[in-house]
Amino acid sequence: MKKVWIGIGIAALVALFIGINIYRSAAPTSGSAGQNIQTGRLEEKEISSTVMVPGTLKFSNEQYVFYEADKGTLEDIKVKEGDKVKKDTPLVTYTNEQLSLEKEQNQLTAESNQLQIDQIQEKIKALDNKEKELAKQVGKKEAAKQIESERTELQMQEKTAEIELKQTELQRQSLASRVSDLEVKSEIEGTVISVNQEAASKKSDIQEPVIHIGNPKDLVVSGKLSEYDTLKVKKGQKVTLTSDVIQDKTWKGTVSAVGLVPDQQESTAAQGTEQAVQYPLQVKIKGRLPEGKPGFKFIMNIETDKRKANTLPSKAVKKEDDQYYVYTVKDGKAKRVDVKIGEVTDDLTEIKEGISQDDQVILNPSDQVTDGTEVKA
């Protein structure tokens, strides 16, 4: 009896399995009338060619203050990290004993030059009186003739003393400029990013700045262009910025500067080697600034030129390995067609080869759509 019931159970399972397979075979294929399939055709639209360049977030304008041993001893740092500074704000001061001695010596020399000129002028006045008295005795003409050599000598002495005084004044101006340089001032308006007093005493092949100033509200992204790309990129072109660190966000900007000459460090190749020439590029960020800090890496997608092209929505184009393809609709079924693409924007892809404007293309192919899937457009 048990064997009969076991046989009935097995038969029931087999019947159920066959029924399920029959149902699946009869059920509509995924992507059929039950699936929302949208179709469209190639459209001629304006598309922008782009150049992709890696870049680094930097301050638009920054100042580094390094220790300068030739100025003397670093006396005082007048700012601290986080301080807001304006242009010409004092940052550091130096003391220089040798310069103080030179300044004092210059002042003494100037006093001596002036004293010498005063003495010569007194002698010339005395000579004028002498000439007047002598003129009463021998006449003006003869009196002038007798003291001519003495007057010429005094005039030469006066001229020489005046030249020496001018030289001393030039030295004073030079010393005043050097004294003024003992106080280093801010060249820009911004924020003190860092203060490193130890940099003034640290002995290293790589000199570190004592003070670094920048403006966190004025950032740019800088990079380098190849010889080929520098012919296409121009000031004012639109740029879309993305970052692997700050994901799912984009920023807009414009090209603010393209170097006319290659980067000197890059263009100086080692002997016997050849390096690619690269030109500096700077992009000004528009609107809200990235949350990143200077030094963060970005990708710059630069719109270089606009033109008309046959396009499809980017979501209609799929990729397998290195091959791009789309699904067209033919005789109620999806047909995979390999295509060759051109420029790709955020929502449009240029189609160069593979389909024509008569082909009906699935615009929203799901993962369930494959070659031969029955569809209803």
Side-chain angles (χ1 to χ4, degrees):
M1 187 67 177
K2 289 183 179 180
K3 293 182 179 180
V4 173
W5 284 109
I6 293 173
I8 294 172
I10 294 174
L13 289 174
V14 172
L16 179 62
F17 179 75
I18 294 173
I20 291 174
N21 284 329
I22 293 173
Y23 173 78
R24 287 180 176 175
S25 299
T29 305
S30 177
S32 66
Q35 185 177 3
N36 184 19
I37 297 297
Q38 298 177 359
T39 61
R41 303 179 189 278
L42 282 177
E43 290 187 42
E44 187 178 61
K45 290 188 176 182
E46 189 176 69
I47 192 169
S48 299
S49 297
T50 60
V51 170
M52 183 179 293
V53 183
T56 303
L57 190 65
K58 292 184 177 181
F59 293 112
S60 174
N61 196 12
E62 57 187 334
Q63 178 183 358
Y64 290 95
V65 178
F66 292 91
Y67 170 64
E68 299 176 77
D70 59 334
K71 286 186 176 182
T73 304
L74 187 63
E75 180 183 35
D76 186 27
I77 297 177
K78 297 184 173 296
V79 294
K80 62 182 182 298
E81 188 173 316
D83 283 352
K84 308 291 184 183
V85 297
K86 295 183 178 180
K87 188 177 180 180
D88 294 329
T89 298
L91 302 176
V92 300
T93 55
Y94 290 82
T95 56
N96 190 318
E97 293 183 5
Q98 179 62 33
L99 188 58
S100 297
L101 292 174
E102 290 180 21
K103 183 180 177 182
E104 185 176 350
Q105 179 62 45
N106 176 264
Q107 185 175 352
L108 292 174
T109 303
E111 292 175 359
S112 176
N113 294 149
Q114 187 59 55
L115 181 60
Q116 186 177 5
I117 291 173
D118 292 342
Q119 290 175 344
I120 294 173
Q121 289 178 344
E122 288 296 325
K123 289 181 180 181
I124 291 176
K125 287 181 180 179
L127 187 63
D128 290 341
N129 293 331
K130 179 180 177 180
E131 183 179 0
K132 290 179 181 179
E133 293 297 325
L134 188 60
K136 294 177 181 180
Q137 301 175 10
V138 297
K140 290 184 178 181
K141 188 174 181 179
E142 182 62 26
K145 183 177 180 181
Q146 290 184 15
I147 65 171
E148 180 179 2
S149 60
E150 189 176 354
R151 181 181 293 280
T152 300
E153 177 64 23
L154 288 174
Q155 288 175 341
M156 288 294 296
Q157 291 178 9
E158 182 182 30
K159 188 68 174 177
T160 301
E162 287 176 347
I163 291 174
E164 291 176 351
L165 181 60
K166 287 182 179 180
Q167 290 175 337
T168 303
E169 173 61 20
L170 291 175
Q171 291 174 353
R172 185 197 68 78
Q173 293 177 9
S174 176
L175 288 170
S177 177
R178 290 170 61 189
V179 170
S180 177
D181 288 343
L182 296 181
E183 182 179 67
V184 180
K185 298 180 179 180
S186 174
E187 299 173 356
I188 62 173
E189 181 177 348
T191 301
V192 179
I193 306 301
S194 64
V195 175
N196 182 8
Q197 190 167 2
E198 295 181 356
S201 57
K202 187 183 295 184
K203 294 182 179 180
S204 174
D205 294 336
I206 301 176
Q207 190 177 14
E208 298 178 4
V210 177
I211 296 175
H212 178 202
I213 299 174
N215 190 343
K217 295 183 179 179
D218 191 11
L219 300 172
V220 297
V221 179
S222 66
K224 292 181 174 61
L225 292 169
S226 66
E227 294 173 277
Y228 176 74
D229 288 338
T230 195
L231 297 175
K232 298 186 290 183
V233 177
K234 296 179 177 59
K235 184 177 180 180
Q237 290 174 337
K238 295 180 180 180
V239 183
T240 300
L241 300 160
T242 58
S243 171
D244 290 337
V245 178
I246 312 171
Q247 297 182 358
D248 302 325
K249 290 188 177 181
T250 61
W251 297 265
K252 299 297 181 182
T254 56
V255 176
S256 57
V258 179
L260 295 176
V261 295
D263 188 283
Q264 293 300 316
Q265 293 180 348
E266 296 292 336
S267 61
T268 305
Q271 186 175 3
T273 64
E274 184 177 351
Q275 291 183 332
V277 177
Q278 294 184 310
Y279 293 78
L281 165 72
Q282 184 170 290
V283 170
K284 180 73 173 178
I285 303 171
K286 298 177 66 176
R288 62 186 178 88
L289 296 175
E291 297 85 346
K293 298 180 179 180
F296 274 36
K297 301 301 180 182
F298 281 78
I299 296 296
M300 299 178 280
N301 285 285
I302 307 168
E303 296 182 7
T304 54
D305 65 316
K306 292 184 178 181
R307 56 190 172 81
K308 294 287 187 179
N310 289 325
T311 66
L312 284 174
S314 294
K315 62 183 180 180
V317 183
K318 289 182 168 290
K319 183 181 181 183
E320 183 178 8
D321 297 329
D322 293 329
Q323 180 61 56
Y324 292 90
Y325 63 93
V326 299
Y327 286 111
T328 62
V329 177
K330 188 171 183 180
D331 298 330
K333 293 183 179 181
K335 180 183 178 182
R336 170 174 165 161
V337 180
D338 292 341
V339 294
K340 181 179 179 181
I341 69 169
E343 297 293 336
V344 179
T345 65
D346 292 337
D347 53 2
L348 290 177
T349 298
E350 179 185 7
I351 306 298
K352 289 187 172 182
E353 297 178 6
I355 60 174
S356 68
Q357 292 184 344
D358 295 329
D359 290 318
Q360 194 175 14
V361 180
I362 299 177
L363 300 181
N364 61 337
S366 66
D367 292 337
Q368 285 72 40
V369 175
T370 60
D371 193 36
T373 299
E374 293 184 0
V375 294
K376 184 177 181 181

